[in-house]
C-alpha cells in the first residue's frame, strides 16, 4: 500500500505544533522507561540492601510486569474516557512516587510496593503516547510515530544502563534514585503547562455515559475486530525474547553459561538496546510506506530470533563464540520494533473512540509472554541445576503458539482492514463539498 493510500478522511494535519506536543508526551514515556529499567542496573545492590536472594529479587521484575500487563485494558478504557493529558499526569505522579519510595524504602516489602506503584504509573504512559500520536498526526504517519515512541523508550533504557548505573555506584542508592525522581517532576510540569489532547477542530465525539455495560461493550467491540487480536498475537510473539533477556536472564546467561565478565555482558546488553533503536527507525519507515510489509517483518523477526537463539543454545562447545553472541544480541534488538507492528494492525481496525482500549489489549500480549517466560525459565533453571539450554528452550513453545495464532488471524484481519478503508473512501466521495 502506498503512502498516499494510507490517508484517511478527517486526518489531523500534523506539523511543527504536533511534533512539539508529541515530544512532551513521549518525554513522559522516556522517564517512565528509565525508572522501569533502573532495577536492571541495581540488582546486586538491591540484593545487598534488602538482604534477599535471587528468587526474591526476581519478584521485583515479575510483579512490575504483572501490574503493567494487568493495567493495560483499564488504562486503555481510561485513556478513551479521560484523554491523554490527564492519564499522563496521573502516570507521572505514580511512577515518580514509586521511584522516590524505592529510594527511601527501608525493607523489602516497602520496596516491592514501590515497584508495584511504579509499574502502575508506567502502564499509563505508552498507550497514552500512542493515542496522542493518532490525535495529532495523519494516519499514514502512524507506524513511524509509533516506532519513534518505542525508540525513545529504548533511549530511556540506555540512560538507565549508562548514567544511572554510574550514579548508583558514585553517590549511593538513595541520592541516585531520589535524584532521578526529579525527572518525573519535570515532565509532570511540562504536561500540565503545555500538553493538549488534540488539535483545534479535531475534537473527539462526546463520550457516552460511563458504566459497566459500556465498558464491557467497549472491550467486546475491540476484541471482535480480528485486527485487534492479530495485533495482540504479533506483540505476544515478537517482544518477549528481548524483554526477558534485558530485564532479568540475559546477564546471568552471558556470565554463568557463556563465561563472560560482567563488563563484557553489559556491553552486549547495550548492543541489544542500540540495535533496537536502529531497527526501529528502519521498520517504521518501511511500514509507513508499505503496509503489506507488516507481517513479513514480524514473522521474519520471529524466525531470525528462533534460529539465532537455537544456534547459541546448541553450539557444539562449552561456550558460544563471541561473534554468535553479538549476532544474537543484534537480532534481539529487532524484537521491540517488530512488536510495535502489532499496533499497526489494531489501529486501523478500531475507530478513534476505541484506540486506547484496542492498544491496551494489544500491549498485553508481549508482557503476558514475558511474565510467563520469566517464571518458566526460573523454574526450569532450579529444576535442571542451571541448565540454560533446557530453560531457554521454552521460548520456542511460546513462539510456536504465537505464530499459529498470527497465521490463523491474518487473512480475516487484512480483509476487514481493506473493507474499512474502502468504506471510508466511499463515504468521503459522497459528502457534499
Amino acid at each position: 500500500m502506498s503512502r498516499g493510500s494510507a490517508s484517511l478522511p478527517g486526518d489531523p494535519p500534523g506539523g511543527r505544533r504536533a511534533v512539539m506536543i508529541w515530544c512532551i508526551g513521549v518525554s513522559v514515556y522516556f522517564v517512565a522507561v528509565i525508572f522501569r529499567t533502573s532495577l536492571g542496573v541495581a540488582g546486586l545492590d538491591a540484593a545487598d540492601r534488602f538482604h534477599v536472594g535471587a528468587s526474591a529479587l526476581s519478584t521485583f521484575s515479575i510483579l512490575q510486569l504483572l501490574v503493567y500487563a494487568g493495567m493495560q485494558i483499564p488504562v486503555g478504557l481510561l485513556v478513551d474516557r479521560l484523554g491523554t493529558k490527564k492519564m499522563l499526569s496521573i502516570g507521572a505522579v505514580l511512577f515518580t512516587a514509586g521511584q522516590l519510595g524505592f529510594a527511601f524504602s527501608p525493607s523489602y516489602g516497602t520496596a516491592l510496593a514501590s515497584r508495584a506503584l511504579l509499574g502502575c504509573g508506567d502502564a499509563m504512559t505508552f498507550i497514552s503516547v500512542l493515542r496522542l500520536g493518532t490525535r495529532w498526526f495523519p494516519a499514514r504517519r502512524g507506524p513511524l510515530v509509533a516506532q519513534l515512541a518505542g525508540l525513545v523508550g529504548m533511549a530511556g533504557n540506555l540512560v538507565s544502563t549508562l548514567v544511572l548505573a554510574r550514579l548508583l555506584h558514585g553517590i549511593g542508592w538513595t541520592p541516585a534514585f531520589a535524584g532521578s525522581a526529579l525527572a518525573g517532576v519535570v515532565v509532570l510540569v511540562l504536561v500540565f503547562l503545555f500538553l493538549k489532547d488534540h488539535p483545534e477542530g479535531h475534537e473527539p465525539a462526546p463520550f457516552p455515559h460511563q458504566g459497566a455495560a459500556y465498558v464491557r461493550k467497549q472491550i467486546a467491540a475491540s476484541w471482535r475486530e480480528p485486527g485487534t487480536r492479530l495485533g495482540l498475537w504479533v506483540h505476544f510473539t515478537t517482544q518477549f525474547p528481548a524483554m526477558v533477556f534485558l530485564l532479568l536472564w540475559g546477564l546471568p546467561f552471558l556470565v554463568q553459561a557463556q563465561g563472560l565478565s560482567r563488563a563484557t555482558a553489559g556491553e552486549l546488553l547495550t548492543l541489544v538496546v542500540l540495535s533496537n533503536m536502529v531497527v526501529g527507525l528502519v521498520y517504521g519507515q518501511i511500514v509507513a510506506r508499505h503496509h503489506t510489509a507488516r507481517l513479513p517483518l514480524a514473522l521474519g523477526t520471529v524466525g531470525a530470533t528462533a534460529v539465532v537463539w537455537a544456534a547459541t543454545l546448541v553450539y557444539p562447545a562449552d561456550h558460544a563464540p563471541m561473534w554468535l553472541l553479538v549476532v544474537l544480541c543484534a537480532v534481539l534488538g529487532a524484537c521491540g520494533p517488530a512488536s510495535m507492528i502489532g499496533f499497526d494492525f489494531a489501529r486501523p481496525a478500531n475507530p478513534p473512540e476505541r484506540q486506547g482500549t484496542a492498544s491496551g489489549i494489544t500491549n498485553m500480549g508481549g508482557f503476558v509472554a514475558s511474565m510467563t517466560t520469566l517464571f518458566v525459565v526460573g523454574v526450569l533453571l532450579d529444576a535442571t541445576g542451571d541448565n540454560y539450554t533446557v530453560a531457554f528452550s521454552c521460548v520456542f513453545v511460546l513462539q510456536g503458539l504465537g505464530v499459529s495464532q498470527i497465521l490463523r488471524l491474518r487473512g480475516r484481519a487484512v480483509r476487514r482492514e481493506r473493507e474499512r478503508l474502502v468504506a471510508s473512501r466511499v463515504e468521503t466521495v459522497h459528502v457534499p463539498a
Side-chain angles (χ1 to χ4, degrees):
M1 185 176 294
S2 68
R3 179 191 294 262
S5 63
S7 298
L8 298 174
D11 266 351
R16 291 183 179 179
R17 186 156 187 256
V19 172
M20 183 192 76
I21 294 293
W22 182 82
C23 285
I24 293 171
V26 83
S27 68
V28 182
Y29 177 56
F30 174 74
V31 174
V33 173
I34 294 175
F35 291 0
R36 178 201 303 173
T37 57
S38 58
L39 184 63
V41 300
L44 296 177
D45 301 83
D48 292 338
R49 180 179 177 86
F50 302 118
H51 310 291
V52 295
S55 59
L57 191 63
S58 67
T59 304
F60 280 124
S61 298
I62 294 174
L63 176 64
Q64 199 170 317
L65 286 184
L66 180 63
V67 171
Y68 188 102
M71 286 290 293
Q72 289 309 294
I73 291 179
V75 166
L77 291 164
L78 287 170
V79 169
D80 289 335
R81 176 68 180 89
L82 300 178
T84 301
K85 182 169 184 172
K86 290 181 180 178
M87 291 304 294
L88 286 178
S89 298
I90 295 170
V93 169
L94 292 177
F95 67 61
T96 301
Q99 188 78 339
L100 272 175
F102 199 57
F104 293 101
S105 290
S107 66
Y108 175 72
T110 55
L112 205 59
S114 296
R115 296 306 287 187
L117 186 63
L118 192 157
C120 185
D122 180 20
M124 298 180 180
T125 59
F126 187 64
I127 293 176
S128 298
V129 170
L130 287 181
R131 190 177 189 271
L132 194 67
T134 63
R135 291 296 188 189
W136 280 92
F137 293 95
R140 70 177 184 273
R141 301 293 186 191
L144 181 58
V145 170
Q147 289 287 356
L148 286 174
L151 186 150
V152 171
M154 292 310 293
N157 195 329
L158 201 60
V159 168
S160 67
T161 302
L162 300 178
V163 178
L164 189 59
R166 293 183 180 180
L167 286 175
L168 186 65
H169 296 106
I171 61 178
W173 179 280
T174 299
F177 279 100
S180 66
L182 292 176
V185 177
V186 171
V187 295
L188 178 60
V189 171
L190 290 175
V191 168
F192 182 76
L193 292 178
F194 302 111
L195 193 74
K196 302 291 183 184
D197 283 335
H198 49 75
E200 290 78 6
H202 291 268
E203 293 80 2
F207 201 89
H209 178 68
Q210 185 177 353
Y214 179 78
V215 168
R216 289 194 296 270
K217 180 181 177 183
Q218 192 82 330
I219 295 173
S222 295
W223 183 255
R224 277 197 299 269
E225 291 291 346
T228 304
R229 284 174 280 147
L230 179 60
L232 179 146
W233 285 107
V234 168
H235 199 269
F236 177 101
T237 313
T238 52
Q239 187 203 47
F240 78 96
M243 177 72 74
V244 168
F245 202 79
L246 284 173
L247 203 59
L248 188 60
W249 293 120
L251 188 69
F253 169 73
L254 293 172
V255 173
Q256 296 176 356
Q258 300 301 321
L260 302 180
S261 67
R262 288 180 180 269
T264 303
E267 291 171 357
L268 286 174
L269 294 181
T270 302
L271 175 61
V272 178
V273 178
L274 294 175
S275 172
N276 184 296
M277 297 171 71
V278 173
V279 174
L281 286 174
V282 175
Y283 278 19
Q285 292 285 355
I286 293 174
V287 174
R289 288 170 168 79
H290 308 284
H291 264 34
T292 54
R294 290 174 298 176
L295 270 181
L297 284 177
L299 293 175
T301 301
V302 174
T305 303
V307 168
V308 181
W309 194 277
T312 304
L313 294 182
V314 302
Y315 191 81
D318 291 339
H319 302 136
M322 179 56 71
W323 67 264
L324 183 56
L325 296 177
V326 169
V327 172
L328 172 67
C329 291
V331 170
L332 286 175
C335 291
S339 72
M340 299 298 296
I341 296 174
F343 298 102
D344 294 320
F345 286 106
R347 188 185 306 109
N350 292 272
E353 63 271 16
R354 287 208 309 265
Q355 287 296 320
T357 306
S359 295
I361 293 172
T362 300
N363 208 28
M364 283 183 62
F367 289 93
V368 169
S370 297
M371 277 191 305
T372 303
T373 309
L374 282 169
F375 175 74
V376 172
V377 167
V379 170
L380 290 175
L381 286 174
D382 286 340
T384 60
D386 291 339
N387 187 325
Y388 280 91
T389 300
V390 173
F392 273 20
S393 294
C394 69
V395 166
F396 305 121
V397 177
L398 272 73
Q399 285 182 323
L401 171 63
V403 168
S404 68
Q405 294 301 312
I406 290 171
L407 296 178
R408 182 177 68 86
L409 290 164
R410 62 177 179 172
R412 279 178 284 171
V414 171
R415 283 194 301 272
R416 176 68 172 151
E417 187 175 311
R418 288 174 180 167
E419 291 168 1
R420 188 183 295 273
L421 183 59
V422 169
S424 67
R425 286 176 174 172
V426 171
E427 181 180 341
T428 304
V429 168
H430 286 86
V431 172

